[in-house]
Amino acid sequence: MELTGSQLIGDTFSNTGSQSFTGFNPVTGQPLPTIFYEATGEEIDRAVALADQAFLQYRKIRGTDKAIFLETIAEELLELGPTLIETASLETALPETRITGERGRTVGQLRLFAGLLRDGKWENEITDPAQPERQPLPKPALRQVQIPIGPVVVFGASNFPLAFSVAGGDTVSALAAGCPVVFKAHPAHPATCELVGRAMLRAAAKTGMPNGVFSMVHGASYEVGMRLVQHPLIKAVGFTGSFRGGKALFDLAVRRPEPIPVYAEMGSTNPVFFLPRALQKNATALAQAFANAVTMGTGQFCTNPGLFVTLQSDKSFANQIAENLNNISVGAMLTSGIRQAFLNGIDHLKTQEGITSLTAAPTEAVAPTLLLTTAARAIAEPGVTEEVFGPSTVGIIAEDKTSVLAFAKSLKGHLTATIHGTNEDLEEYKELIDILTLKVGRLVFNGFPTGVEVSPAMVHGGPFPATTDARSTSVGTTAIYRFTRPVCFQDMPAVLQEEKW
Ligand code: NAP
């Protein structure tokens, strides 16, 4: 299939702009051949206006028909075969095996939401029957239903070119809710975006969905995303990416004349607490498994364990982790910008007072890195617990249990936290569980946070600054409620009850 580099505005291709860019091969640093055109203001407005028009029809479509649409997207993705896998791998330097796994997850997610729509229970209809005889006033019949909120703009992240991109979790949950989507393509994998975007449009056409239910615009500058978020017809934003990007778009959205919700899933350092008896039993295996988790995918996961905590008496465990890290080689990073940000981040951390490096810290080349400090220092300088996106981790040495708890209390919001402990450890550290429950979206016991299961009970979210709205998840079926709102019908005549409103 020949790529066009165009905006996909409903079922038409458009490239009226003069600004262009290309993708890059992260391994060679060389530009890739397709020229992509940045969307103009007029193209963005056209995509949003079409989404608004499509909303009138799409919001009325029954769950079973939306389910067929989502399943057809899944089929169209699989239909792209090796072209999709090779293109995504070329643009991101992620191995083809990883991309194949990610496609499986993306397809599985589409089917999971299709199942949710068929089942229909997610709509959580609540009815309060009328009590006409009630004194002193009769009680009306009340019926609460969930309705979609309107056109949604979605931003994807560079590190998940399929699962958190064009047909990823935000798009699928918005479409399942009944909201058309305008997707801002990620400039780090624009060809992958076009392949998937066109697959979505084929699925929309095959299943009779209204034109404009999905559109996609390109942009290598922030203007495209900013204009989308500020557009008066956009009713919500789904974002996955950096803290800087998510917070900037959140600030923009709340300053609009009509503020709208922004569900920004941002970076996190995902602290892992190693309790003493677990280390007595299993330090060697845990050190290896932890080093593997830190370096998986060159450390480019939002759930990467970028922080760990041990007691002073177990300090040698940090050396064990460092030895493992020194023996692991990592692949190229996703973009030259991310690579530079990693090197700068490590440089900055190294210059902080009270930080030592247990690995051969990287200078020019990206390498697994372990920096060490004390709990007291980390409490005084919370900057050391902030995300450096890549294969690095900061070890926190705590003098005693009180110091472990004080450090946990000082943490800001994270996507996950993990505790390694025996039953006796967990009994002794119950207070730690209480503290961490208030800090994260997911608390992992005796495992690693890196993998995120796509399943109804999953929470991939957490308090700020991990996200801009801790009341929601971006993974799992309850992600749908980000894009609906409740409405109550009072004394609605029976003749209207069967219709979809
Ligand atoms: P990014 O640089 O923030 O980019 C994400 C998207 O936002 C891109 O389309 C980008 O467009 C746009 N953007 C960023 N800043 C913007 C601004 N100020 N105004 C308008 N648009 C803006 O993130 P990334 O580098 O792709 O991804 C890596 C980060 O994502 C890491 O921090 C990682 O932890 C996080 N992440 C989080 C999750 C999660 O679920 N919480 C999942 C995966 C990744 P341009 O590039 O055109 O600016």
Side-chain angles (χ1 to χ4, degrees):
M1 184 197 307
E2 192 152 338
L3 295 171
T4 65
S6 309
Q7 325 312 321
L8 309 178
I9 301 181
D11 58 11
T12 60
F13 295 99
S14 175
N15 55 23
T16 57
S18 53
Q19 302 294 324
S20 64
F21 66 97
T22 70
F24 279 84
N25 178 335
V27 178
T28 62
Q30 293 303 307
L32 293 167
T34 309
I35 307 283
F36 290 87
Y37 293 89
E38 177 151 315
T40 62
E42 184 276 329
E43 286 174 319
I44 293 168
D45 293 351
R46 202 147 35 97
V48 177
L50 200 60
D52 188 55
Q53 221 178 302
F55 180 54
L56 299 178
Q57 208 184 327
Y58 190 60
R59 62 183 277 255
K60 298 271 186 177
I61 288 179
R62 304 247 160 214
T64 43
D65 294 325
K66 283 186 290 184
I68 296 170
F69 174 36
L70 299 188
E71 284 159 349
T72 311
I73 297 173
E75 282 160 28
E76 290 289 334
L77 282 186
L78 292 172
E79 209 43 49
L80 288 167
T83 309
L84 179 62
I85 305 294
E86 289 159 15
T87 306
S89 181
L90 182 69
E91 288 189 314
T92 60
L94 296 170
E96 290 190 9
T97 44
R98 148 76 200 272
I99 300 287
T100 306
E102 196 180 318
R103 182 185 60 182
R105 174 188 167 144
T106 310
V107 163
Q109 184 158 262
L110 283 154
R111 291 177 177 156
L112 182 73
F113 275 94
L116 183 81
L117 293 177
R118 281 218 164 79
D119 172 75
K121 289 200 197 89
W122 74 272
E123 289 186 51
N124 280 351
E125 191 170 303
I126 304 169
T127 48
D128 296 334
Q131 293 174 10
E133 316 302 333
R134 192 183 70 175
Q135 292 299 331
L137 289 171
K139 182 182 175 186
L142 299 174
R143 177 174 160 236
Q144 188 194 97
V145 297
Q146 295 289 326
I147 60 163
I149 52 177
V152 170
V153 55
V154 172
F155 293 79
S158 57
N159 59 334
F160 279 98
L162 301 178
F164 282 95
S165 191
V166 184
D170 285 347
T171 299
V172 178
S173 45
L175 290 176
C179 301
V181 168
V182 180
F183 188 82
K184 156 66 174 61
H186 200 296
H189 53 266
T192 308
C193 287
E194 180 170 339
L195 287 174
V196 178
R198 286 167 66 175
M200 293 196 55
L201 294 180
R202 281 194 297 279
K206 276 186 181 172
T207 54
M209 292 296 137
N211 187 24
V213 69
F214 176 80
S215 289
M216 186 178 85
V217 293
H218 288 284
S221 74
Y222 291 160
E223 276 70 32
V224 172
M226 290 168 68
R227 187 169 179 123
L228 280 167
V229 169
Q230 287 172 304
H231 198 294
L233 294 176
I234 290 292
K235 297 299 178 197
V237 178
F239 172 95
T240 309
S242 61
F243 173 78
R244 209 167 43 90
K247 182 66 165 55
L249 294 173
F250 174 85
D251 290 345
L252 213 54
V254 295
R255 284 202 305 269
R256 289 169 37 129
E258 177 196 339
I260 53 171
V262 175
Y263 298 101
E265 300 284 330
M266 305 179 286
S268 181
T269 34
N270 308 297
V272 179
F273 292 78
F274 290 101
L275 301 184
R277 294 175 193 84
L279 287 183
Q280 270 159 32
K281 266 177 84 175
N282 229 354
T284 306
L286 287 175
Q288 179 68 65
F290 184 76
N292 291 347
V294 170
T295 51
M296 188 191 287
T298 316
Q300 299 167 121
F301 285 105
C302 51
T303 48
N304 195 50
L307 263 187
F308 69 94
V309 183
T310 67
L311 289 176
Q312 173 71 34
S313 49
D314 293 320
K315 194 176 171 189
S316 61
F317 180 63
N319 294 81
Q320 278 179 279
I321 296 173
E323 274 167 39
N324 285 300
L325 288 175
N326 280 330
N327 290 328
I328 295 175
S329 52
V330 290
M333 295 200 82
L334 291 154
T335 66
S336 56
I338 287 180
R339 177 179 170 279
Q340 203 48 57
F342 173 76
L343 295 172
N344 294 347
I346 297 294
D347 256 2
H348 174 72
L349 278 180
K350 275 194 311 185
T351 58
Q352 303 288 304
E353 197 189 311
I355 293 221
T356 53
S357 178
L358 293 193
T359 44
T363 46
E364 296 276 291
V366 171
T369 305
L370 192 162
L371 300 166
L372 204 63
T373 191
T374 61
R377 187 72 212 127
I379 294 169
E381 181 38 79
V384 304
T385 65
E386 280 168 18
E387 183 191 50
V388 176
F389 189 60
S392 68
T393 190
V394 175
I396 307 290
I397 303 298
E399 264 173 41
D400 50 20
K401 180 179 161 189
T402 309
S403 163
V404 170
L405 299 180
F407 173 71
K409 275 191 194 135
S410 78
L411 286 168
K412 295 181 187 162
H414 289 260
L415 295 169
T416 74
T418 300
I419 305 178
H420 279 273
T422 63
N423 284 348
E424 250 183 303
D425 280 329
L426 297 175
E427 189 61 41
E428 186 188 341
Y429 279 81
K430 269 192 174 158
E431 204 182 328
L432 177 64
I433 301 172
D434 252 341
I435 296 167
L436 293 178
T437 303
L438 297 180
K439 302 282 183 182
V440 302
R442 177 165 57 109
L443 186 55
V444 180
F445 293 92
N446 295 316
F448 291 95
T450 334
V452 182
E453 187 69 36
V454 182
S455 133
M458 176 51 70
V459 174
H460 188 60
F464 185 84
T467 78
T468 49
D469 193 329
R471 295 165 300 174
S472 62
T473 172
S474 70
V475 175
T477 45
T478 51
I480 197 168
Y481 298 113
R482 296 175 301 166
F483 304 118
T484 65
R485 70 173 179 85
V487 66
C488 177
F489 295 119
Q490 183 169 329
D491 286 333
M492 181 182 251
V495 65
L496 299 177
Q497 300 264 350
E498 285 311 303
E499 271 202 51
K500 183 162 174 52
W501 297 101

